[in-house]
Amino acid sequence: MDEKQLSLLDDHEQADNGPVVCLGMTFKNDEERREYFRNELRKKLPELKKIEGFPIGDDEDIIVLSDPPYYTACPNPWINDFIEEWEREKKEKYGRDENEEYHREPFAVDISEGKNDTVYNAHSYHTKVPYKAIMRYILHYTNPGDLILDGFSGTGMTGVASRRCGSEQDIKSLGFTLNGENILNEDGQIVSKFGQRHVILNDLSPSASLIAYNYNLIPDKKSFINEAKKILRKVKQECSWMYETNHSESSGIQKGIINYVVWSDVFRCPSCTEEIIYWNVAVDTDKKKIINEFECSHCGAKLEKGKLERSWETKYDSHLGKTINIAKQVPVLINYSLGTRRFEKKIDEEDLKLLEKIESVPCNYWYPTDRMPEGDESRRNDRIGFTHVHHFYTSRNLKTLATFVHYSKFSRFFNHLLFFFQASINRATKTNRFRFGGTGGLSGTLYVPSLIFERNVISLLEKKLNDYEKFILEEKGANNVQSVITNQSTTNLSNIKSNSIDYIFTDPPFGKNLMYSELNFLWECWLKIVTNNEKEAIINNTQLKGIYEYQNLMEQSFCNYFRVLKPGRWMTVEFSNSQASVWNAIQEAIQKAGFVIANVSALDKKQGSFKAVTTTTAVKQDLVISAYKPKTEHIEKMRREQNTEESAWTFVRQHLEQLPVFIGHKGEAQIIAERTPRILFDRMVAYHVQNGLPVPISSAEFQAKVAQRFPMRDGMVFLESQVAEYDKKRTLVKEFVQMSLFVTDETSAIEWLRQQLLKKPQTRQDLHPNFMKEIQHIAKHEKLPELDDLLEQNFLKYEGDGPVPDQIASYLRRNYKDLRGLENDDPQLKEKALNRWYVPDPNKQADLEKLREKALLREFEGYVEELSKSKKKLKQFRTEAIRAGFKKAWSEKDYETIVKVGERLPESVIQEDDKLLMYYDNAQIRLGM
């Protein structure tokens, strides 16, 4: 380190100069603590490298980036030490231990939280759940001192949320009030206890883990801000000349400061072969629009961008030591400031001379020149010659960033300085588009546009420091030891002891939505540590990962979650994907791991991604899955009861225990789908199949006996201990809000008919017009029965024999004045009720279920016979018949039939149907496939 560097960094305040206690050890100051644990980490690295997801990089770079034991840029070996310390604290401070009574219903409220706050603005990432949304879940499921895990933590918002459960300002911003240690909702009911929670944050990505560290282990504010500003002043001294341009006025020429430069692709006209600068022919600056069709500036030929060939230039790349061909781009517009005034001008000769000078002056500092990795997204720009990391930057931005990193690496705040540096990276690259009314990259891609928006990186770094400064100043009195950060794969959490976690909130990668490791490569090259993507849970052609591989990796991750979570505790999984196959893969993985799904609700982030606001198939609202780990005594009881009907009822009892008793708001109540006999049966079957237990009861028997064993209310099943609460709340509401349905197959068609008939018993003629409208979106492969068949197999019709059923009679008396007060066997009432279909009571429902199951099995046997005569795939079929056939084959341990039929179904059908996928996957396992 030279004298200039020493003078730059030597005069900062040593605010953390006092004694520090960490994991029971006392150090003179924080620096001594850090060095001690870095040396310990160095010794532990050989063993840590055996853990899946250990990042790719040199040992010393990993150690330099780490701040152990709180944060390691690799698997963290001190997690269990913190767990033991926090368990002691919970017992001593809160008087709680592992034997405490715990019960929570799933958090079944749809919530909406925006992102525009200091936390979000400090650092953008590919996906980020608003911390206030996570706070609501944490407050519901945990108490102060509890330990939370997020194995796909991204930027660490779960950590921010856990910490801010102890912030009075944040609690009030959620609409809650404080009464002593209790947090109250608007109705004055206790939501939770006030206080911070502990959290373990993990991510596969070194860049994400570093961001999480900076959000959750706040540096000494004054010292950090002073030092960051000193480094930026040094960068400004060395690099500001590269961001100057001439401003001409009558008083003479002055130097303006460049805010941004627009660069344009150059094409060749297919008619005259002359070069065309895209900006000059396609951009109408007066109307502020980009034109799709334009004329050649040389020959006047009518042109479209998509049909043009690029112009190329050959240049010597000194970093690669060879000549390269790269798509030609030229600067066309400069936006600059003179004092407080802003101006725009076309590029002039002096600007071009400055660019030549910048190119010719060598950079004395290191910057990354790595080859972009193989991938579905990362090499999309090879076609335009952008093959290496440094090609994504203009020369001046690259040199400025390198200068900042050079001076930062001598600072004790190095890994904190990298936070706002990382926050600037994406905006400093050529992936930023010029657009009238806004700029930015194409979300979730590394797309390099035809009109590039080159920012002044010095100003960008200053802005992002200012954003981070606002965030850390907002952190009043935060206890930095609430969070521990680790960098590894969730497929291996061997450094976390079993049954130690109180709650899991997780937002895992979903299918092929985002190629995280590829998108992060531009950041991680600067860290000199990159993601080990062998266990990255995505669908990616380059990595040879399809839906099956993705599901397998997610299953491994959820198995680890299941192992470390305490029995009877909850996991919240946020889900955002428009593909049914990915949705089913996630559900299958969760259930195979041993979890039981209890609720699915919506989380509106208020800000759609680029894809979410421009395509009709993208999910606008994220779905949130609530799942629990069954209590050990329930698991053991079901195993003892296997091959008996009691295992089904043991499951139902423990599942009903976990479900919300009542969901209602402002005079309206909702049907709790999980409490309906059909869904309860499906959950019971899924649990038994996924855990290798025989399914002990048929659907028809279940329908009949569930009403005999448990109290029924409004078509829902309850425990005796829950009925009084439900009845009390039910009297306060006037009507039910129907579940919204989108009819795509036989099951949803039956449920739609059920909703219609519960609301209003109707004739076939009444139902038919609306039914025909609803079934327009039936899948192509689905052989949907006629309306008459669906009614006959699932519902009952009053044909005049005997008294009018109560369901029809109560509806008629309520809606027809002349029928009020009439008995059920009155001729006038009977005439009005004639030929109306209605939902049968449970006993008659069981009889219908038997008849329907026989019909479905006959159909399935027909498919089996058809497939034995032909090698073709089934093109059209009743999915319900396949489900019924698979269920019967499973109960008879005829796994071969399941696999043979499954192989002849379209793959998309298997992947997009959760029940078929469950039987097919497990049958393959039984056959050793």
Side-chain angles (χ1 to χ4, degrees):
M1 194 184 299
D2 59 30
E3 289 185 12
K4 289 184 179 179
Q5 291 154 359
L6 283 169
S7 64
L8 172 69
L9 302 175
D10 215 26
D11 59 350
H12 60 251
E13 297 179 337
Q14 286 288 344
D16 60 349
N17 223 7
V20 173
V21 178
C22 179
L23 291 179
M25 293 178 277
T26 303
F27 301 93
K28 290 179 183 177
N29 52 43
D30 212 42
E31 193 60 38
E32 185 180 82
R33 181 271 306 168
R34 189 179 296 113
E35 284 311 305
Y36 169 81
F37 281 106
R38 278 180 172 168
N39 287 329
E40 290 299 301
L41 179 61
R42 191 176 281 109
K43 298 172 191 174
K44 295 174 185 288
L45 284 180
E47 196 63 28
L48 294 174
K49 287 177 182 178
K50 297 174 185 177
I51 297 177
E52 290 171 353
F54 191 96
I56 299 167
D58 292 340
D59 288 2
E60 285 308 307
D61 290 322
I62 288 170
I63 287 163
V64 165
L65 199 62
S66 300
D67 185 8
Y70 310 125
Y71 157 60
T72 56
C74 65
N76 192 322
W78 289 283
I79 290 176
N80 287 329
D81 297 309
F82 279 105
I83 290 174
E84 288 177 13
E85 186 173 276
W86 291 336
E87 284 175 347
R88 282 195 302 272
E89 177 198 284
K90 187 191 288 190
K91 193 169 184 179
E92 293 167 6
K93 187 175 180 180
Y94 301 105
R96 296 165 49 214
D97 58 31
E98 64 273 7
N99 297 317
E100 67 179 328
E101 189 68 29
Y102 176 87
H103 176 73
R104 297 290 191 282
E105 294 176 359
F107 188 65
V109 181
D110 292 348
I111 62 175
S112 176
E113 292 291 349
K115 292 180 177 179
N116 293 317
D117 52 43
T118 56
V119 176
Y120 177 77
N121 291 331
H123 200 303
S124 59
Y125 194 64
H126 318 297
T127 56
K128 185 189 288 187
V129 181
Y131 79 92
K132 287 182 182 178
I134 306 174
M135 277 182 71
R136 293 180 184 273
Y137 291 98
I138 291 173
L139 289 170
H140 177 80
Y141 287 112
T142 69
N143 289 308
D146 276 352
L147 177 54
I148 299 158
L149 168 64
D150 186 348
F152 298 94
S153 64
T155 57
M157 289 300 100
T158 302
V160 175
S162 300
R163 187 170 67 254
R164 294 202 173 187
C165 286
S167 160
E168 186 174 346
Q169 181 180 338
D170 279 286
I171 293 297
K172 289 181 177 178
S173 73
L174 297 178
F176 299 145
T177 55
L178 275 173
N179 181 10
E181 64 175 10
N182 292 325
I183 300 170
L184 309 180
N185 64 15
E186 56 187 10
D187 299 323
Q189 297 170 321
I190 296 176
V191 173
S192 185
K193 299 289 184 184
F194 180 73
Q196 296 179 331
R197 280 70 166 162
H198 298 293
V199 65
I200 298 168
L201 301 170
N202 171 61
D203 203 273
L204 187 67
S205 163
S207 62
S209 300
L210 179 63
I211 299 167
Y213 162 70
N214 277 275
Y215 266 126
N216 289 284
L217 287 109
I218 311 302
D220 177 68
K221 298 167 188 177
K222 186 178 178 182
S223 299
F224 167 74
I225 291 166
N226 285 341
E227 187 151 324
K229 288 180 177 178
K230 286 178 183 178
I231 290 174
L232 282 177
R233 284 197 295 272
K234 183 65 179 175
V235 172
K236 212 167 189 175
Q237 289 171 14
E238 289 195 20
C239 302
S240 59
W241 65 273
M242 294 187 285
Y243 297 94
E244 293 179 346
T245 188
N246 289 339
H247 174 78
S248 299
E249 286 187 341
S250 54
S251 57
I253 296 175
Q254 301 178 64
K255 290 291 183 184
I257 303 300
I258 294 173
N259 299 312
Y260 65 81
V261 177
V262 179
W263 293 70
S264 171
D265 273 349
V266 181
F267 296 101
R268 287 200 177 274
C269 173
S271 297
C272 66
T273 71
E274 291 292 330
E275 282 190 341
I276 308 164
I277 297 174
Y278 181 62
W279 171 274
N280 293 346
V281 294
V283 178
D284 188 330
T285 52
D286 295 329
K287 294 182 179 178
K288 296 190 181 301
K289 61 184 290 189
I290 297 172
I291 305 163
N292 292 325
E293 294 184 1
F294 42 83
E295 294 182 355
C296 173
S297 51
H298 302 286
C299 69
K302 299 285 185 184
L303 304 172
E304 291 178 40
K305 180 190 168 190
K307 297 178 181 178
L308 296 176
E309 289 186 5
R310 291 182 176 274
S311 184
W312 294 79
E313 59 181 338
T314 303
K315 56 168 65 174
Y316 182 74
D317 188 327
S318 58
H319 309 292
L320 303 181
K322 64 179 182 179
T323 300
I324 62 168
N325 288 321
I326 197 164
K328 190 173 183 180
Q329 295 163 326
V330 295
V332 291
L333 178 77
I334 291 182
N335 179 290
Y336 64 99
S337 294
L338 196 67
T340 57
R341 295 183 299 165
R342 290 175 77 105
F343 302 91
E344 284 188 354
K345 71 171 191 176
K346 293 181 179 179
I347 298 291
D348 59 31
E349 283 299 317
E350 290 301 313
D351 296 317
L352 293 174
K353 285 180 182 177
L354 175 65
L355 290 172
E356 287 177 9
K357 181 181 177 183
I358 292 168
E359 287 285 348
S360 64
V361 174
C363 181
N364 296 321
Y365 310 128
W366 172 89
Y367 54 77
T369 58
D370 304 63
R371 176 72 168 103
M372 293 299 290
E374 292 184 7
D376 289 5
E377 180 63 36
S378 49
R379 291 196 176 179
R380 67 149 60 222
N381 297 298
D382 277 19
R383 58 190 174 80
I384 60 171
F386 284 39
T387 56
H388 290 67
V389 171
H390 59 288
H391 296 154
F392 283 79
Y393 302 88
T394 60
S395 287
R396 64 178 142 215
N397 280 0
L398 192 61
K399 289 172 180 176
T400 304
L401 292 169
T403 304
F404 177 85
V405 170
H406 172 73
Y407 287 109
S408 296
K409 70 185 179 184
F410 302 112
S411 169
R412 66 191 174 99
F413 292 115
F414 177 56
N415 38 26
H416 289 294
L417 291 164
L418 286 175
F419 176 81
F420 70 90
F421 171 81
Q422 273 200 123
S424 307
I425 286 292
N426 274 5
R427 297 184 183 192
T429 69
K430 294 180 181 179
T431 61
N432 284 272
R433 299 176 292 168
F434 170 85
R435 292 180 293 172
F436 290 108
T439 60
L442 186 60
S443 177
T445 75
L446 293 175
Y447 170 73
V448 175
S450 289
L451 296 174
I452 292 168
F453 188 84
E454 180 200 13
R455 286 180 170 86
N456 179 327
V457 163
I458 299 173
S459 300
L460 182 56
L461 288 166
E462 288 174 333
K463 180 187 181 305
K464 295 317 293 181
L465 171 60
N466 185 55
D467 289 342
Y468 188 40
E469 182 179 347
K470 287 178 183 176
F471 165 71
I472 61 175
L473 290 176
E474 196 176 81
E475 292 288 322
K476 296 174 182 175
N479 180 352
N480 285 347
V481 196
Q482 299 298 323
S483 303
V484 170
I485 293 101
T486 182
N487 186 173
Q488 62 193 85
S489 172
T490 307
T491 58
N492 183 344
L493 297 177
S494 57
N495 49 335
I496 303 178
K497 69 178 185 177
S498 300
N499 302 318
S500 61
I501 305 297
D502 294 297
Y503 171 60
I504 293 170
F505 184 95
T506 193
D507 178 20
F510 287 99
K512 54 183 177 182
N513 276 17
L514 292 164
M515 304 295 112
Y516 288 93
S517 62
E518 297 176 37
L519 297 172
N520 289 346
F521 192 76
L522 288 180
W523 299 356
E524 292 176 351
C525 281
W526 290 93
L527 307 181
K528 298 184 180 179
I529 307 170
V530 299
T531 301
N532 179 345
N533 64 15
E534 182 183 347
K535 293 291 183 176
E536 186 178 20
I538 56 173
I539 296 173
N540 183 290
N541 294 330
T542 307
Q543 294 184 29
L544 302 178
K545 291 174 185 171
I547 187 74
Y548 175 79
E549 288 75 20
Y550 167 75
Q551 181 181 316
N552 185 260
L553 288 164
M554 289 310 306
E555 185 185 333
Q556 291 177 43
S557 300
F558 285 123
C559 282
N560 274 280
Y561 276 159
F562 190 85
R563 179 183 63 79
V564 301
L565 186 66
K566 293 177 180 176
R569 299 299 181 120
W570 288 88
M571 173 178 71
T572 299
V573 183
E574 198 213 341
F575 172 88
S576 178
N577 192 293
S578 58
Q579 287 184 295
S581 58
V582 178
W583 165 243
N584 286 325
I586 284 289
Q587 288 192 94
E588 179 83 349
I590 290 171
Q591 292 177 127
K592 268 190 170 182
F595 287 102
V596 181
I597 295 172
N599 183 261
V600 180
S601 49
L603 171 62
D604 181 2
K605 293 184 183 177
K606 280 191 177 176
Q607 268 188 354
S609 67
F610 180 86
K611 292 172 183 174
V613 297
T614 57
T615 63
T616 55
T617 56
V619 174
K620 303 270 194 312
Q621 284 188 316
D622 289 357
L623 297 176
V624 178
I625 303 169
S626 300
Y628 63 89
K629 177 177 178 176
K631 292 179 181 177
T632 307
E633 57 266 32
H634 290 146
I635 295 172
E636 291 172 352
K637 190 169 187 237
M638 277 184 275
R639 291 212 172 273
R640 288 197 304 271
E641 294 169 342
Q642 63 179 300
N643 294 315
T644 74
E645 194 180 294
E646 281 308 307
S647 71
W649 305 120
T650 297
F651 173 86
V652 170
R653 276 190 292 273
Q654 65 100 24
H655 192 53
L656 291 174
E657 225 175 68
Q658 303 287 3
L659 300 179
V661 173
F662 184 88
I663 301 177
H665 187 62
K666 294 182 179 178
E668 290 183 336
Q670 294 177 24
I671 290 287
I672 302 167
E674 288 287 335
R675 286 190 177 273
T676 60
R678 279 175 178 266
I679 302 297
L680 273 176
F681 178 74
D682 286 344
R683 290 285 184 229
M684 182 275 295
V685 170
Y687 183 82
H688 281 72
V689 171
Q690 301 287 18
N691 288 276
L693 300 172
V695 178
I697 189 170
S698 71
S699 176
E701 291 171 316
F702 186 90
Q703 295 285 341
K705 292 183 180 180
V706 74
Q708 297 167 9
R709 285 176 170 262
F710 301 95
M712 299 286 295
R713 296 289 190 276
D714 298 312
M716 295 180 288
V717 186
F718 292 87
L719 296 173
E720 289 286 355
S721 59
Q722 298 170 331
V723 168
E725 181 187 345
Y726 180 81
D727 287 344
K728 182 181 177 182
K729 293 180 177 178
R730 177 71 173 87
T731 60
L732 302 176
V733 300
K734 296 177 181 177
E735 59 181 320
F736 274 93
V737 179
Q738 295 292 333
M739 292 180 288
S740 57
L741 273 178
F742 192 61
V743 178
T744 56
D745 59 8
E746 187 173 339
T747 303
S748 52
I750 293 168
E751 194 54 46
W752 182 85
L753 287 169
R754 186 185 303 277
Q755 287 193 13
Q756 303 306 305
L757 296 177
L758 279 172
K759 190 175 181 181
K760 175 186 175 183
Q762 303 172 59
T763 65
R764 190 257 189 207
Q765 288 74 18
D766 294 332
L767 287 164
H768 188 260
N770 288 328
F771 180 76
M772 296 309 292
K773 289 179 188 174
E774 291 292 330
I775 64 171
Q776 292 180 41
H777 302 286
I778 292 291
K780 288 181 180 179
H781 69 268
E782 191 67 45
K783 185 181 175 184
L784 187 70
E786 296 294 333
L787 174 59
D788 293 327
D789 295 328
L790 290 174
L791 290 170
E792 288 284 351
Q793 291 179 11
N794 298 279
F795 305 98
L796 294 177
K797 182 170 68 170
Y798 178 66
E799 296 179 292
D801 300 326
V804 177
D806 286 339
Q807 187 190 138
I808 302 177
S810 60
Y811 167 76
L812 294 175
R813 292 192 195 103
R814 198 167 57 246
N815 289 278
Y816 296 91
K817 290 181 181 179
D818 58 328
L819 301 179
R820 288 174 187 170
L822 298 181
E823 296 296 328
N824 285 26
D825 57 358
D826 187 281
Q828 191 179 349
L829 189 71
K830 290 173 74 171
E831 184 182 355
K832 195 70 175 177
L834 201 62
N835 294 323
R836 288 179 185 264
W837 290 92
Y838 64 100
V839 178
D841 64 39
N843 289 324
K844 290 180 180 176
Q845 178 71 55
D847 292 336
L848 282 175
E849 196 76 25
K850 288 177 185 175
L851 292 172
R852 181 167 180 268
E853 192 167 3
K854 282 182 181 178
L856 291 171
L857 289 173
R858 279 198 302 273
E859 191 121 3
F860 179 75
E861 286 161 10
Y863 299 151
V864 174
E865 189 177 342
E866 182 184 334
L867 293 173
S868 68
K869 297 174 183 176
S870 168
K871 292 185 178 180
K872 293 181 180 178
K873 284 185 178 283
L874 281 177
K875 289 187 177 178
Q876 199 173 39
F877 46 86
R878 281 178 75 179
T879 305
E880 280 292 286
I882 304 290
R883 288 172 180 165
F886 278 15
K887 183 160 78 72
K888 182 172 183 288
W890 179 269
S891 67
E892 295 172 350
K893 299 185 178 180
D894 183 7
Y895 309 126
E896 198 171 332
T897 293
I898 295 173
V899 172
K900 280 183 177 178
V901 174
E903 286 172 346
R904 306 289 282 280
L905 297 176
E907 187 179 349
S908 61
V909 173
I910 287 281
Q911 294 296 342
E912 293 178 10
D913 189 291
D914 57 338
K915 296 180 184 65
L916 297 185
L917 184 63
M918 174 185 71
Y919 286 119
Y920 183 68
D921 272 3
N922 282 283
Q924 285 185 310
I925 291 168
R926 294 295 184 278
L927 294 174
M929 298 176 72

